[in-house]
Amino acid sequence: MKHARKLSKRTRVITGASVAAAVALGGVGAYSASASDTGPAAPAAAVANVKGNTTTSTTHLTADAAAKAARAALRAAAKANQKVSVAVVDRNGNTLLTVRGDGAGPQSYESAVKKAYTAVSWNAPTSELTGRLDQAPTLKDIPGTLFLAGGVPVTAKNAPIAGIGVAGAPSGTLDEQFAQAGADTLR
């Protein structure tokens, strides 16, 4: 009998402790009480089903499309006997693809990424953006940007979805022509 009371009392203590813990934690999650438990189970994950106009959808360039554009830009540069790097970034400026072409200078890789980022950020070719520095010279201080010709945006439904940057040719005009050749393959 004494043994049965000890077990019964122990069970009551564990159950009481579990209930107290649940109340103290605000009743969040699932708890289990038994004589073999040492404490509360991990809380269940919360799920929120949003309603109404609380979300948005965006269009993104596929990896295949990014590769197609980069190949086209490299081909255009090769036809002009230029050694360049090409970068394609998504709408958020995240790098989708970067290719340092054979013989391209080491600085061209990073410059291509920055040109692509700058073009998509302002939804304009970087050659046009260089003129804005006259009115706002501190634009060039924004991290990750490069206000040199060679970057073009890619749009869908008049909204920027990617940027293509090319660097390494002797002029930004050539870089931008190659970037535009990449963008043109996506039309």
Side-chain angles (χ1 to χ4, degrees), residues 115 118-129 132 151-153 160 176:
K115 289 178 182 185
T118 305
V120 75
S121 295
W122 278 273
N123 193 25
T126 54
S127 61
E128 291 178 18
L129 296 172
R132 294 185 190 181
V152 297
E176 199 157 303

Side-chain angles (χ1 to χ4, degrees), residues 42-113:
V47 177
N49 291 316
V50 296
K51 296 178 183 173
N53 295 328
T54 58
T55 62
T56 184
S57 296
T58 58
T59 301
H60 294 270
L61 199 62
T62 65
D64 286 341
K68 179 181 177 181
R71 282 191 304 271
L74 284 172
R75 276 194 304 274
K79 284 182 184 177
N81 201 29
Q82 297 299 313
K83 296 170 177 20
V84 300
S85 290
V86 179
V88 182
V89 301
D90 70 9
R91 173 61 187 113
N92 300 319
N94 299 311
T95 303
L96 294 172
L97 176 86
T98 309
V99 180
R100 184 174 165 266
D102 295 336
Q107 80 291 352
S108 65
Y109 188 87
E110 184 178 347
S111 296
V113 173

Side-chain angles (χ1 to χ4, degrees), residues 153-166:
V154 176
T155 61
K157 299 178 186 172
N158 296 321
I161 63 165
I164 301 172
V166 175

